[in-house]
């Protein structure tokens, strides 16, 4: 009979082989018996598991909307049981996600001129947040803004840095300049503002923001067909600019290449064109096309494809297509078609293991989510949701009268999605069941009308 030590080592080896992009495997295994649960919820196993796999999996995407709380779309059904409940009851927009952290802004983007009133850094796995804090002084005068969040812990491998100190880089543009500042959770303050003059500059929202070393990169435009790249070093606080690749800026997405330098990706039909940068002796940045990959065997040839981002740690490109968003892993050849229809999405990568779920109940280094003005916020958001639902119901009823059954079906789907997202985000399960029952009654009425 094998020794207990051998059995333990064999069990650890087996459980370590469970795939990180299916967190449900580990959680289901923790229910087998008390011994397995004790093993899987131990910090030692969690650290070992993350060190073996090294690359945090892509758990899904946050999809921003104009009127309600963003949705979280899992990259696959296997991504359960990860349930990202939003840290605030107001409508928020996801600006960035990195190192298991999420940066949100309030209010959500309604018009191009909207800017952040407050920012929130949120740790979905650790279920902690850094309470709302105002942007730097220039935040009230800019026309467009973007932000990034990074872990600031020394010598961190970013495999499980939940609760670590962080930095937030906030960049905004007006008619004359780009401005930037960095917020530190350790000092609870913003750095002095740095600026980069350029007439009629506008930083593009919704674009990926690759982090290379300490620098983050953004695309800016100053004429309909003219653009440049803005570089902001989060540690030296330097803001600089240089020319982008010889491609229209709406047709490419910035990325971190396998070599660890700035690059970009674009689609030409079914061809994925990859570009990379090289610094010249005078410090100037030169662009060169490094690789062209034909995706016609992986994706439908009749789809209109457009690269909207690249998750460098997971090694996954995400593209818009006729049917929504597709993720493409070139190494495995795996394509995952998702139900997301909006290109304004932010990928979320992180390990999610049973030991991290246990840590949720323990006191963290950040402030826990509070109940400040919760009832007033709930009421305000619920009114917005019900207004949107009523407008869709009226539109759907009119579509039925006009025998536009496709339009009526679309309204029904959107009503269910809005109500489901709101009530799940607030954990109002009784209200959710009541709301779904009411929606079913409305659907029955529509069916009777159509007959």
């Amino acid at each position: 009979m094998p020794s207990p030590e051998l059995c333990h080592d064999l069990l650890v080896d087996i459980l370590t082989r469970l795939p990180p992009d299916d967190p449900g495997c580990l959680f289901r295994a923790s229910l087998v018996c008390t011994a397995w649960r004790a093993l899987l919820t131990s910090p030692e196993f969690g650290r070992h598991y993350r060190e073996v796999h090294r690359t945090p999996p892509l758990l899904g995407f946050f999809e921003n909307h104009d009127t309600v709380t963003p949705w979280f779309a899992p990259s696959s059904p296997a991504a359960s049981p990860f349930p990202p409940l939003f840290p605030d009851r107001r409508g928020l927009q996801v600006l960035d996600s990195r190192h298991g952290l999420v940066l949100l802004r309030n209010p959500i983007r309604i018009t191009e001129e909207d800017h952040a009133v407050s920012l929130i850094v949120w740790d979905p796995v650790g279920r902690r947040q850094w309470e709302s804090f105002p942007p730097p002084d220039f935040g009230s005068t800019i026309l467009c803004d973007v932000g990034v969040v990074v872990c600031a812990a020394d010598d961190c491998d970013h495999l499980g840095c939940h609760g670590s100190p962080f930095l937030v880089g906030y960049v905004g543009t007006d008619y004359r300049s780009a401005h930037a500042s960095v917020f530190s959770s350790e000092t609870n303050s913003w750095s002095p503002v740095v600026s980069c003059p350029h007439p009629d500059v506008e930083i593009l929202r919704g674009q990926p923001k690759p982090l290379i070393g300490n620098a983050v990169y953004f695309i800016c435009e100053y004429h309909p067909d003219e653009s440049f790249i803005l570089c902001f070093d989060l540690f030296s606080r330097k803001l600089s600019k240089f020319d982008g690749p010889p491609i229209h800026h709406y047709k490419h997405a910035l990325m971190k290449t396998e070599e660890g330098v700035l690059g970009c990706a674009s689609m030409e039909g079914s061809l994925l064109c990859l570009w990379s940068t090289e610094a010249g002796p005078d410090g100037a940045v030169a662009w060169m096309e490094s690789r062209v990959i034909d995706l016609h065997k992986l994706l439908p040839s009749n789809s209109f494809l457009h690269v909207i981002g690249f998750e460098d740690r997971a090694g996954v490109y995400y593209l818009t297509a006729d049917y929504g968003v597709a993720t493409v892993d070139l190494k495995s050849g795996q394509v995952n078609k998702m139900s997301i229809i909006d290109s304004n999405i932010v990928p979320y990568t992180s390990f999610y293991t049973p030991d991290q779920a246990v840590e949720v109940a323990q006191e963290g280094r950040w402030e826990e989510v509070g109940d400040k003005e919760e009832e007033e916020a709930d009421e305000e958001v619920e009114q917005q949701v019900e207004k949107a639902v009523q407008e869709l119901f009226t539109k759907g009823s009119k579509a039925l009268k006009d025998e536009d059954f496709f339009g009526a079906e679309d309204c029904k789907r959107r009503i269910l999605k809005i109500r489901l997202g709101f009530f799940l985000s607030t954990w109002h399960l009784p209200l959710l069941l009541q709301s779904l029952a009411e929606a079913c009654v409305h659907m029955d009425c529509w069916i009777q009308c159509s007959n």
Side-chain angles (χ1 to χ4, degrees), residues 355-367:
D355 66 301
Q356 293 170 323
V358 171
E359 289 175 359
V360 171
Q362 301 174 356
E363 183 177 358
R365 294 177 59 186
W366 295 356
E367 297 182 37

Side-chain angles (χ1 to χ4, degrees), residues 6-78:
L6 180 60
C7 291
H8 177 273
D9 292 344
L10 181 60
L11 178 60
V12 169
D13 183 60
I14 293 173
L15 294 176
T16 302
R17 295 174 186 268
L18 295 178
D21 58 351
D22 183 3
C25 289
L26 289 174
F27 282 84
R28 289 188 292 271
S30 68
L31 301 176
V32 171
C33 63
T34 304
W36 283 34
R37 178 173 177 78
L39 170 64
L40 289 170
T41 56
S42 66
E44 293 77 14
F45 177 84
R47 283 193 296 268
H48 173 70
Y49 185 84
R50 293 186 283 272
E51 288 171 356
V52 168
H53 290 281
R54 298 301 300 173
T55 303
L58 175 66
L59 295 183
F61 293 89
F62 290 102
E63 181 180 2
N64 286 305
H65 290 269
D66 289 339
T67 56
V68 294
T69 297
W71 314 115
F72 180 77
S75 55
S76 71

Side-chain angles (χ1 to χ4, degrees), residues 58 61 267 272 293 295 298-299 305 309-311 314-319 323 325-337:
L58 175 66
F61 293 89
M267 290 297 303
L272 175 64
I293 305 164
L295 301 180
L298 300 179
L299 296 165
L305 302 174
F310 175 70
E311 175 45 57
V316 173
Y317 294 87
Y318 43 108
L319 307 83
Y323 47 78
V325 172
T327 61
V328 180
D329 187 335
L330 296 180
K331 292 182 179 179
S332 65
Q334 183 177 0
V335 175
N336 183 20
K337 300 177 182 178

Side-chain angles (χ1 to χ4, degrees), residues 423-441:
F423 290 120
L424 281 180
S425 69
T426 56
W427 278 113
H428 287 172
L429 296 184
L431 292 177
L432 169 62
L433 296 176
Q434 178 184 347
S435 177
L436 291 180
E438 292 174 356
C440 290
V441 171

Side-chain angles (χ1 to χ4, degrees), residues 15-151:
L15 294 176
T16 302
R17 295 174 186 268
L18 295 178
D21 58 351
D22 183 3
C25 289
L26 289 174
F27 282 84
R28 289 188 292 271
S30 68
L31 301 176
V32 171
C33 63
T34 304
W36 283 34
R37 178 173 177 78
L39 170 64
L40 289 170
T41 56
S42 66
E44 293 77 14
F45 177 84
R47 283 193 296 268
H48 173 70
Y49 185 84
R50 293 186 283 272
E51 288 171 356
V52 168
H53 290 281
R54 298 301 300 173
T55 303
L58 175 66
L59 295 183
F61 293 89
F62 290 102
E63 181 180 2
N64 286 305
H65 290 269
D66 289 339
T67 56
V68 294
T69 297
W71 314 115
F72 180 77
S75 55
S76 71
S80 64
F82 177 64
L85 301 176
F86 279 82
D88 196 289
R89 306 297 176 83
R90 297 165 296 175
L92 300 169
Q93 184 187 37
V94 177
L95 291 182
D96 188 45
S97 176
R98 208 180 313 267
H99 303 156
L101 305 176
V102 180
L103 176 65
L104 305 106
R105 76 196 290 273
N106 171 51
I108 59 176
R109 175 188 176 188
I110 303 298
T111 67
E112 290 291 339
E113 289 73 28
D114 281 342
H115 48 77
V117 173
S118 63
L119 302 170
I120 293 175
V121 172
W122 174 44
D123 174 5
V125 169
R127 304 296 173 84
R128 300 185 180 96
Q129 77 177 58
W130 188 273
E131 296 291 346
S132 302
F133 56 98
D137 293 338
F138 67 81
S140 60
T141 60
I142 55 177
L143 299 177
C144 293
D145 63 347
V146 293
V148 295
V149 59
V150 300
C151 169

